[in-house]
Amino acid sequence: MEGAAAAARAGVADGFDRVCFCQKKRVFFLTAKDSFMAETIENRLLKRIRGAGRGSVFIPSQFTDLGGRAAIDQALSRLAASGTIRRLARGVYDYPKTHPVMGELAPTAEAVAKAIAGRDQTRLQPAGAHAANLLGLSEQVPAKVVYLTDGATRTVQVGGQTIQLRQTTPRNMAAAGRLSGLVIQALRHLGKEQVTEQHIAQLKRNLPLSQRRTLLKDLKLAPVWMHPLFRQLAEDEE
């Protein structure tokens, strides 16, 4: 009995493939199976993260097939503490790309948006100044990047940039993921009275004719005031 008590106080194996600890008259047992499972979850999680490649962004719910949420959260916390991954915001992590001079690079807004959209297969549509920037209509990188979504609204702060998923109507998402959706949102950001011939010329330079012609397929999804602009963009300059 004295040997068992000493083993318990020291936190050593008691001969039954487990380690026991005594604290304030309570005994806790950590079995070899528990230790193995914890290690397996972390290793499998790390393998998946590395498989996604550097620059990937993820949230804990993406790994629930590997184990319980508490175990996943603990594994991510340990990996972040070791510097293997980086915690961007509450519940958002990335496997950062690195530069020999600049060190760890910031993730793209698109990667963060796709991650925080979750596992619900929700769609995303760049909007506002971000849409204009993606099409080359603005050189200014907005401090607030907005994506329209048919999922829940959520905002995260990553470094000095705010990334927002903003729930919107089905009509605004009808062309999501297509060039027409991006053009609609960019022109809407500029405003009906502010779209110039220079903007149209810039779009023609940035987008090949084959892509611009696809805009006509979604003409009915654009506001009426954009219809002449879509037709103009789809024209062959020759």
Side-chain angles (χ1 to χ4, degrees):
M1 293 296 293
E2 292 182 0
R9 288 193 298 272
V12 298
D14 65 357
F16 294 96
D17 196 28
R18 58 186 178 178
V19 179
C20 57
F21 297 87
C22 287
Q23 183 179 15
K24 295 182 179 180
K25 298 183 179 179
R26 293 190 296 173
V27 179
F28 301 89
F29 293 95
L30 176 64
T31 68
K33 180 180 178 181
D34 292 332
S35 179
F36 172 77
M37 288 299 293
E39 182 179 3
T40 299
I41 289 173
E42 187 168 335
N43 288 344
R44 291 170 64 189
L45 190 150
L46 182 56
K47 182 178 180 181
R48 185 175 296 180
I49 290 172
R50 286 175 171 165
R54 290 197 173 273
S56 58
V57 182
F58 41 89
I59 58 177
S61 62
Q62 292 176 240
F63 306 104
T64 51
D65 60 308
L66 301 181
R69 180 58 186 267
I72 295 299
D73 287 342
Q74 291 171 8
L76 289 172
S77 294
R78 288 193 295 269
L79 290 172
S82 69
T84 304
I85 62 175
R86 177 173 54 183
R87 184 179 183 274
L88 300 174
R90 182 179 179 181
V92 184
Y93 301 83
D94 79 333
Y95 185 35
K97 287 185 177 180
T98 59
H99 186 276
V101 177
M102 301 173 63
E104 292 185 347
L105 303 178
T108 65
E110 181 181 14
V112 175
K114 286 183 176 179
I116 64 177
R119 301 183 58 185
D120 301 328
Q121 301 299 315
T122 55
R123 294 176 296 164
L124 297 174
Q125 172 60 63
H130 182 46
N133 180 264
L134 290 175
L135 286 172
L137 298 178
S138 171
E139 295 183 356
Q140 184 176 3
V141 178
K144 184 176 183 179
V145 174
V146 177
Y147 286 84
L148 302 181
T149 179
D150 49 8
T153 295
R154 185 177 176 186
T155 301
V156 296
Q157 188 79 26
V158 178
Q161 190 172 59
T162 299
I163 300 172
Q164 182 183 64
L165 272 62
R166 184 182 298 168
Q167 189 178 54
T168 189
T169 63
R171 179 174 178 78
N172 283 334
M173 295 301 295
R178 301 197 293 273
L179 176 62
S180 55
L182 189 60
V183 173
I184 288 170
Q185 293 304 320
L187 295 180
R188 181 171 286 161
H189 169 72
L190 295 175
K192 179 180 178 179
E193 304 301 328
Q194 305 302 321
V195 178
T196 66
E197 288 297 324
Q198 287 72 28
H199 289 133
I200 300 302
Q202 184 68 40
L203 287 173
K204 286 188 173 184
R205 285 193 296 270
N206 293 345
L207 302 171
L209 179 61
S210 59
Q211 291 186 22
R212 288 187 272 119
R213 281 178 171 165
T214 65
L215 296 174
L216 297 179
K217 297 179 180 179
D218 289 332
L219 193 64
K220 63 182 180 181
L221 299 178
V224 174
W225 67 267
M226 293 185 192
H227 290 189
L229 302 178
F230 271 43
R231 293 190 179 98
Q232 188 177 352
L233 286 169
E235 292 175 353
D236 190 341
E237 295 180 352
E238 298 180 359

